[in-house]
Amino acid sequence: MTTATRITVRGDNPYDVVVGTGVLGELPGLLKPGVRTVAVIHPASLPEMSRPVCEALSDAGHDVVALPVPDGEQAKTVEVAAQLWSAFGRYGVTRSDAVVGVGGGATTDLAGFVAATWLRGVQVVLVPTTLLAMVDAAVGGKNGIDTPEGKNLVGTFLPPAGVLCELATLPTLPRADYVAGLAEVIKGGFIADPEILALVEADPDAATRPDGPHSRELIERKIRVKADVVGADLREAGLREILNYGHTLAHAIERAEHYQMRHGEAVAIGMVYAAELSRLDGRVGADLVQRTRAILTSVGLPTTYHADAWPRLRDHMRLDKKNRGAKQRFVVLDGVARPSRLEDPAEELLEAAYREISR
Ligand SMILES: NC(=O)c1ccc[n+]([C@@H]2O[C@H](COP(=O)([O-])OP(=O)(O)OC[C@H]3O[C@@H](n4cnc5c(N)ncnc54)[C@H](O)[C@@H]3O)[C@@H](O)[C@H]2O)c1
Ligand SMILES: O=C(O)C(=O)C[C@@H](O)[C@H](O)[C@H](O)COP(=O)(O)O
Ligand SMILES: [Zn+2]
C-alpha cells in the first residue's frame, strides 16, 4: 500500500480523485450517504477487476449488482445502454442508489452516460483501470456513447461523486494500451504542463511502464491538469476545449478505423496534425512539431496516417463538437502550454497539414 494522493476537482459539485496502491478500501467512502443498491458496470472480460470492487462494496453493507458489458469501445452503443437501463429497472435502482463503473475509458464513459440518464441522474463513482481512464476519461464528468455518425456524439456532463485510481490494476494492462494512455499524458504536457514532457523525454522507455520511476508523478500531473481545467469549465464553454487538442482528426480516424484503433493512438496522430496546423498558420516553429513527433515516437506511438484517407477524414471532421455551423474549429498551440483556437481555417491549410502527416 502507498499513501493515497487526493486531487480535488472543484466546481459546483466538487469531488476527489484518489490515487494510490491498495486504496480500494476508500471506495465506499466516495459514495454519497444513503446508498442501498450499487450497480457495478464492468467489461465481462475483466472479472478480476470487478470482483474486489464488488466485495469492497458488499463488505460496506451495500446490495451489489454486477452488470457485465462488452469489452472496450463495443460497449459505447445505445443498445448496450438500453440493456443497462433495463437492468436498473429490474433491480430497482433509485435516485438514492449509485452506479460504479470499473474498467477502461470506454466503460467509464458508458457508466457515466447511463448514470446520467437513468431517472435523469443518479450518482456515479468511477474506478478506472487503464492509464488513459485514470488520467483522462474518468475525470471531468464528460460521458458518452458512439452512433453510426461518429464518436461520442451522444452524451452528457455529470461530475462523478468520486474517482478511485487503484494503481495495482495497471501491471496487467497490455503494453500497447498503457502506451496509448501516454498520448493523453503527453497531451497534458503540450497544453499545460511542460514538466510532463521533460519527464517523458528524460527516459521514454521508463515512461511506458507502470513501475517506471516517474510513472506515478506523470499520472498525478496529468490528473491535475485535467482537474484544473474541468473544475473551471465543466460544460466546455471555453477553456475545456483545450483538452480536445489533437482530437478533431483523432475522432475522424477512429471512425474511419471502425473503432479498431486505440483512442490514444489516434490522439497521437491527431496531435501531430494539430502541431502542423499550428506551424503552417505561423503560430509555432518547426521545432515544436519536431518535438511532438520525437516524444510520441520515443514511446512507440504512431504519428502518420494513410495519404488517401483525407477526403473521408475531412468529411468526418464536419461533425466535430467544437464546430459552429459550417465553421470548423481546432485547438492549436501558440507554443508549449499556450493553447489557442484556429477558427474557420482555409481548406488548403487543412489539406497541407494533412500532407505533412501522410504516409
Ligand atoms: N470522457 C472523457 O473525458 C474521455 C477522455 C479520454 C478518453 N475517453 C474515452 O475512453 C475510451 C478509451 O479508453 P481506454 O484507452 O481506457 O480503452 P478501453 O476502455 O477500450 O480499454 C482498453 C482495453 O484494456 C482492457 N483493460 C482495462 N483495464 C485493464 C487492466 N487493468 N488490465 C488488463 N486489461 C485491461 C479493456 O478491457 C480493453 O480491452 C475511448 O472511448 C475514449 O473516447 C473519454
Ligand atoms: O474531457 C474533455 O473535455 C476532453 O476533450 C478529453 C478527451 O481526451 C476525450 O477524448 C473526450 O472524450 C473527447 O470529448 P469529445 O467531446 O470531443 O467527444
Ligand atoms: Zn481523448
Side-chain angles (χ1 to χ4, degrees):
M1 178 164 175
T2 60
T3 315
T5 305
R6 300 185 92 87
I7 299 169
T8 301
V9 182
R10 300 185 194 288
D12 292 343
N13 298 289
Y15 57 93
D16 280 351
V17 181
V18 179
V19 186
T21 304
V23 292
L24 215 48
E26 303 236 7
L27 176 60
L30 294 176
L31 294 170
K32 290 177 193 148
V35 173
R36 183 196 51 166
T37 302
V38 184
V40 177
I41 296 171
H42 65 93
S45 55
L46 291 180
E48 70 285 4
M49 300 283 149
S50 59
R51 202 176 304 116
V53 167
C54 292
E55 281 168 9
L57 292 164
S58 290
D59 291 350
H62 299 291
D63 292 343
V64 178
V65 182
L67 299 174
V69 294
D71 194 42
E73 203 73 21
Q74 292 164 282
K76 284 178 62 171
T77 67
V78 72
E79 290 79 15
V80 176
Q83 287 162 15
L84 292 171
W85 291 322
S86 211
F88 293 169
R90 272 199 315 281
Y91 290 106
V93 174
T94 70
R95 277 186 170 166
S96 58
D97 293 323
V99 170
V100 169
V102 186
T107 313
T108 57
D109 271 12
L110 172 75
F113 177 67
V114 292
T117 43
W118 179 248
L119 307 182
R120 300 202 184 93
V122 299
Q123 64 170 300
V124 64
V125 169
L126 297 172
V127 185
T129 63
T130 63
L131 173 63
L132 187 142
M134 289 182 188
V135 301
D136 203 330
V139 182
K142 212 182 229 190
N143 58 57
I145 56 172
D146 307 327
T147 79
E149 290 71 33
K151 172 104 180 163
N152 295 344
L153 291 181
V154 177
T156 81
F157 294 99
L158 173 72
V163 180
L164 189 80
C165 300
E166 172 52 71
L167 300 175
T169 60
L170 289 176
T172 57
L173 189 63
R175 182 185 162 89
D177 287 296
Y178 193 87
V179 168
L182 275 181
E184 300 277 24
V185 174
I186 290 168
K187 177 189 80 180
F190 278 110
I191 61 172
D193 180 359
E195 183 59 22
I196 289 179
L197 302 179
L199 286 170
V200 176
E201 286 166 340
D203 192 346
D205 186 53
T208 66
R209 300 191 317 263
D211 64 351
H214 302 301
S215 294
R216 180 159 175 176
E217 181 176 356
L218 285 168
I219 290 170
E220 292 184 4
R221 279 185 176 273
K222 172 59 205 306
I223 293 172
R224 284 185 209 283
V225 167
K226 181 136 194 191
D228 287 350
V229 172
V230 300
D233 178 20
L234 169 68
R235 291 178 177 276
E236 206 169 347
L239 175 69
R240 186 171 182 154
E241 284 185 341
I242 69 173
L243 299 172
N244 227 251
Y245 183 61
H247 282 61
T248 315
L249 186 72
H251 283 170
I253 292 174
E254 285 186 84
R255 183 178 163 198
E257 292 279 333
H258 306 287
Y259 305 109
Q260 298 304 303
M261 180 185 277
R262 289 176 182 83
H263 175 72
E265 293 170 352
V267 169
I269 301 168
M271 283 196 286
V272 185
Y273 181 70
E276 286 287 9
L277 270 182
S278 311
R279 178 181 70 84
L280 292 170
D281 197 46
R283 294 160 180 270
V284 299
D287 51 336
L288 187 141
V289 188
Q290 176 46 28
R291 192 176 185 191
T292 305
R293 279 203 179 87
I295 192 168
L296 294 170
T297 306
S298 75
V299 295
L301 283 162
T303 56
T304 60
Y305 198 63
H306 310 291
D308 60 1
W310 174 245
R312 199 165 14 129
L313 299 178
R314 176 70 192 95
D315 198 43
H316 292 346
M317 291 199 301
R318 291 183 212 285
L319 262 185
D320 186 86
K321 290 179 220 70
K322 297 182 298 305
N323 294 348
R324 296 293 177 262
K327 290 199 174 117
Q328 186 84 45
R329 296 175 65 253
F330 288 84
V331 179
V332 288
L333 294 179
D334 291 342
V336 173
R338 291 177 57 208
S340 184
R341 309 294 183 280
L342 175 61
E343 314 255 351
D344 206 15
E347 287 301 319
E348 298 73 43
L349 180 70
L350 297 182
E351 203 170 339
Y354 192 74
R355 274 196 298 277
E356 298 294 329
I357 68 152
S358 296
R359 61 164 183 266

